[in-house]
Amino acid sequence: MNHQSRMMCCLGSLAVALLLKAGCAHASLLPWSALQGRSVVLVTGRHDASVPNDDALVRAHLQALGLRVTTVTDAAPAMEAAGASLIVISSTADANVLGDKYARTPVPVFTWDTHDYPNLGLTGPRLHHDYDVVDPVQHFAESFSVLYGYGANSTSQLSRAAGLKPQLFGTLYLEPATVGWGHPGPGGRVIVDFNGTPRQAGVFTYERDATLADGRTAPARRVGFYLSDANFHLLTAVHGPAARDPQLRDWYRGLALFDAAIRWALSPPPPLPIYDPAALQARIARIAHGRKILFVERINAGEGRHADAAIVAHLQQLGFDVVIADQMAPQSRADGMNLVIISSTCSKYKLANKYVDVKAPLISLEGLLSDTLHFAGRDRYADYGEHGEEKESEDPPTRYLDIVGAWSPMAAGLPPGPVQVTGHAGVLKWARPTADAIVIATLPGEAYQRAIFGYPAGATMADGFVAPARRALLPLDNPTYDDLTVQGKALFDAVVLWALGGSAAAH
Amino acid sequence: MLRSHLRPALATLLLALPGRGVGAPAPAAAFPLQVLRRVPVTAPGTPRALAFAADGRRAYLAVGRAIVAYDAASAVPTDRLVLSGRAVDLAVAAGGDRAYAALRDPDAIAVLSLQPLRVLRTWRLPVAPSALLAGADGRALYVESTAAGRVLELDAASGRALGSLHLDGRLQQMAANGYGHLFVAVADRDVVDVLDTHTLRLAGTFPVPCTAPTGLALDPVGRRLFVSCTKGAVAVIDTDIGYTFQQLPAASGSTRGLFVFHPEGKAGWKGAAFFAGARGTLSAVRMLAFIRYADGGTLSLPAGSEVLAFDPARGQLWVAQSKPAGASAAAGTLLIFGAAPVTGARP
């Protein structure tokens, strides 16, 4: 190889690396140094001297972080927050006074005003069901249990910035606590939960354009946090000798979590993907050369045989080197591969537990493998299931999915809401992934039956399994690929591109 | 960098707030003790330290170049020992049979027998001592030198230097928890340095969310460290994690502190931290529970009243005052505080 060839080769590799990064990376969190002087509007209630609150402490804390803070009351018109970089809503603000005036603001909102969650569309409207406030008077025992939060998500930018791990941690210092939780909508990401259930999210977020609980989309980033009126000063932190012990340091994460959430809310969201199937294919084609995909199928399958062939042909046309493996082939066939795709023609019973721990990224086209692959729990039809399968599903066949994570590159730039993915109504599978998954689409009208989702590398999947590389579910029943609409094929391509984004190093 | 000044920045605010935390703020309580007796200190010089013997029968006051022994029950002086230097602090060994006096001019530790009161030996020090603390296990003696910015660890039996550690800043009161940590308030850094007593190395630092910490009072059972700051605040720190979970108002000025359980007896407060201030204040923090404390009130005293010790046998707090400016007779006064006598009680 001469010098020029080597140079071209290096530039080519660099371009591929940059492309992968651009294709999968989210805008990173801005450092605090870049956030200095940003304006924050702190919305509070009218203070009663006899009732403690920490609003002044919060204000001082935000100022100490370098932010410019303007305090307004809950009665102030929403216009007063125009131009701000962040709106922070304290639980001292009266949700009835606030109404929905901040619901559509294109300014990020960080709130611990739990009763205001429904107004913002962050949760449904039912107290005790969609959201709740635990306090020592009404719920004495529970007010102790909420001193322990669980790092439900450890791979989001916010989680990483806070150093959150998939384990318990101390939310607030030892007093029985008043905290709020919410059950976020389909596009929400649970960061911290209480009592072992993501339904009781102590910290949760919505990316811009993620689908809210009320079906609308978030106009800007949203954060719900577990605080209440007077316990900001009890957010945990550790100093002295204990701070040198990683186990103890990871326990006292409350204040770090608060700060990371503020930082995440203030940082720019990722650019919204643009729906352009041709451009998407061109991007894939630019990285496909030299990349190997193992396509695992039931060779000579009946139904689905043609669809499998069409998928392989499509991948080859994009430039991938596709290797076909029968469902009974050993997992070692995946060695050296950049991506493994498991076809829905495979028998769950015959495939057994293969490819669970494969080091390469993996896409499952079969939703019923969700338990074996640790995509979801093991309760069939509760943790995962299907629509449209005769005798196995009460739900009718469908040809639509609801896009709830339009912000993600996996959504192919499709807008939030229903999208027709197949020409005819058919079988579509779903699962309930853990909070560490990025959810792209749900079954129509079933906010928690997630059809398309992905786990980043290192994510904690079901059963505590840690994803060795990216994992994604893209449910295509045996013949479905042949019936995909243009939008459906774009979703397929986008998921393939996303899955490969994590394999640059392997390449 | 932002975080380093974050908590201190909140301190003033915390104190300015009408109340914090769950529930309504606890109102400031009346100071639990009252002056029962005033005892003139006849020895010349400034009182610098007070300590009770382990059996509670005698109290020892370091004043000027002497140690004066008192009968704890009557507060009558029983003995007096002249020292080779100016006493700056006094510590009674855990076993109770001996005490140590930190001396200046020359810089030394005088090892004292308590009964009879006499100097057993003297150990020269390489630094000017400013404070002294006997380890709970009786094996170590910690000598602090504000001038040298150093803490020395001495073998309490032989005086042999076991360790020495330089600390930055203006070192103030020390406290030890008896299970591995020595705490040193550092006034000009707004921190409490935590030393590992096994290695005499800096194990970490607690940020203190108030300005210029001087006085320390340690509850080794609840693992709470009460830190009194010059600008008028007491921070309550969970020593396991260095976390200030409560702050209370307090009198301003340099102070020294101590913690006792049941200062008024079993029927009274669960516990209290007392801080005696050089500007003439005596403040109390009342223990309501291990996670909840309240302002226990403040008494105004003549200036120069930062020497204190608690007599657990009689539930009395002794505070030694310096001689008032211009006074010529006594060197100072011992104020003996106790629970108010029950009135109207029938014999």
Side-chain angles (χ1 to χ4, degrees), chain B residues 35-180:
Chain B
V35 177
L36 302 178
R37 267 186 291 181
R38 297 171 190 270
V39 179
V41 177
T42 53
T46 303
R48 299 300 300 269
L50 257 172
F52 281 88
D55 62 7
R57 295 172 62 183
R58 283 183 172 73
Y60 300 90
L61 175 67
V63 52
R65 300 175 78 90
I67 301 289
V68 180
Y70 292 84
D71 177 81
S74 64
V76 172
T78 58
D79 206 347
R80 179 172 168 175
L81 176 67
V82 176
L83 302 167
S84 59
R86 182 161 49 87
V88 294
D89 207 350
L90 181 65
V92 173
D97 60 338
R98 65 169 65 177
Y100 304 89
L103 309 180
R104 299 285 308 276
D105 309 322
D107 302 333
I109 297 293
V111 184
L112 312 176
S113 157
L114 294 179
Q115 284 198 321
L117 183 62
R118 62 186 175 91
V119 176
L120 297 174
R121 62 191 74 93
T122 301
W123 301 326
R124 294 298 299 269
L125 289 174
V127 294
S130 54
L132 191 61
L133 187 72
D137 60 5
R139 291 185 294 185
L141 194 64
Y142 300 98
V143 182
E144 177 194 282
S145 172
T146 299
R150 188 162 289 278
V151 173
L152 307 179
E153 182 182 18
L154 305 181
D155 182 294
S158 68
R160 183 170 57 90
L162 300 175
S164 172
L165 180 67
H166 172 76
L167 296 175
D168 290 326
R170 193 155 49 87
L171 310 185
Q172 301 292 315
Q173 192 173 358
M174 298 186 290
N177 64 9
Y179 46 88

Side-chain angles (χ1 to χ4, degrees), chain B residues 37-316:
Chain B
R37 267 186 291 181
R38 297 171 190 270
V39 179
V41 177
T42 53
T46 303
R48 299 300 300 269
L50 257 172
F52 281 88
D55 62 7
R57 295 172 62 183
R58 283 183 172 73
Y60 300 90
L61 175 67
V63 52
R65 300 175 78 90
I67 301 289
V68 180
Y70 292 84
D71 177 81
S74 64
V76 172
T78 58
D79 206 347
R80 179 172 168 175
L81 176 67
V82 176
L83 302 167
S84 59
R86 182 161 49 87
V88 294
D89 207 350
L90 181 65
V92 173
D97 60 338
R98 65 169 65 177
Y100 304 89
L103 309 180
R104 299 285 308 276
D105 309 322
D107 302 333
I109 297 293
V111 184
L112 312 176
S113 157
L114 294 179
Q115 284 198 321
L117 183 62
R118 62 186 175 91
V119 176
L120 297 174
R121 62 191 74 93
T122 301
W123 301 326
R124 294 298 299 269
L125 289 174
V127 294
S130 54
L132 191 61
L133 187 72
D137 60 5
R139 291 185 294 185
L141 194 64
Y142 300 98
V143 182
E144 177 194 282
S145 172
T146 299
R150 188 162 289 278
V151 173
L152 307 179
E153 182 182 18
L154 305 181
D155 182 294
S158 68
R160 183 170 57 90
L162 300 175
S164 172
L165 180 67
H166 172 76
L167 296 175
D168 290 326
R170 193 155 49 87
L171 310 185
Q172 301 292 315
Q173 192 173 358
M174 298 186 290
N177 64 9
Y179 46 88
H181 287 143
L182 175 71
F183 306 100
V184 183
V186 186
D188 52 352
R189 287 171 41 225
D190 295 344
V191 299
V192 171
D193 278 336
V194 186
L195 278 58
D196 182 334
T197 54
H198 302 299
T199 61
L200 204 68
R201 297 205 185 279
L202 186 65
T205 297
F206 296 162
V208 177
C210 48
T211 304
T214 54
L216 299 180
L218 180 72
D219 165 9
V221 178
R223 303 185 174 202
R224 306 303 191 220
L225 185 66
F226 304 83
V227 184
S228 169
C229 289
T230 304
K231 290 202 173 174
V234 172
V236 189
I237 296 179
D238 179 331
T239 60
D240 285 337
I241 57 173
Y243 181 80
T244 299
F245 62 93
Q246 196 168 2
Q247 291 175 77
L248 296 161
S252 62
S254 169
T255 63
R256 297 184 75 177
L258 58 79
F259 178 87
V260 289
F261 284 106
H262 302 292
E264 306 165 285
K266 293 294 181 187
W269 290 9
K270 291 181 179 177
F274 293 105
F275 291 95
R279 292 183 190 168
T281 55
L282 184 59
S283 298
V285 171
R286 179 181 182 179
M287 175 185 177
L288 302 173
F290 280 120
I291 59 164
R292 186 81 62 83
Y293 299 85
D295 178 8
T298 297
L299 291 183
S300 290
L301 301 175
S305 307
E306 65 175 334
V307 173
L308 77 172
F310 195 81
D311 172 6
R314 275 157 288 276
Q316 293 181 340

Side-chain angles (χ1 to χ4, degrees), chain A residues 52 61 64 173 233-235 239, chain B residues 3 6 13 20 23 238 241 243:
Chain A
H61 180 78
Y173 192 73
H233 72 281
L234 294 175
L235 282 173
H239 304 281
Chain B
R3 294 295 298 276
L6 198 56
L13 257 141
R20 307 165 43 244
D238 179 331
I241 57 173
Y243 181 80

Side-chain angles (χ1 to χ4, degrees), chain A residues 397-402 418-422 424-426 428 442-444 451:
Chain A
T398 183
R399 55 185 173 171
Y400 285 90
L401 290 177
D402 272 348
V419 58
Q420 185 179 344
V421 292
T422 59
H424 304 85
L428 274 171
T442 69
L443 271 295

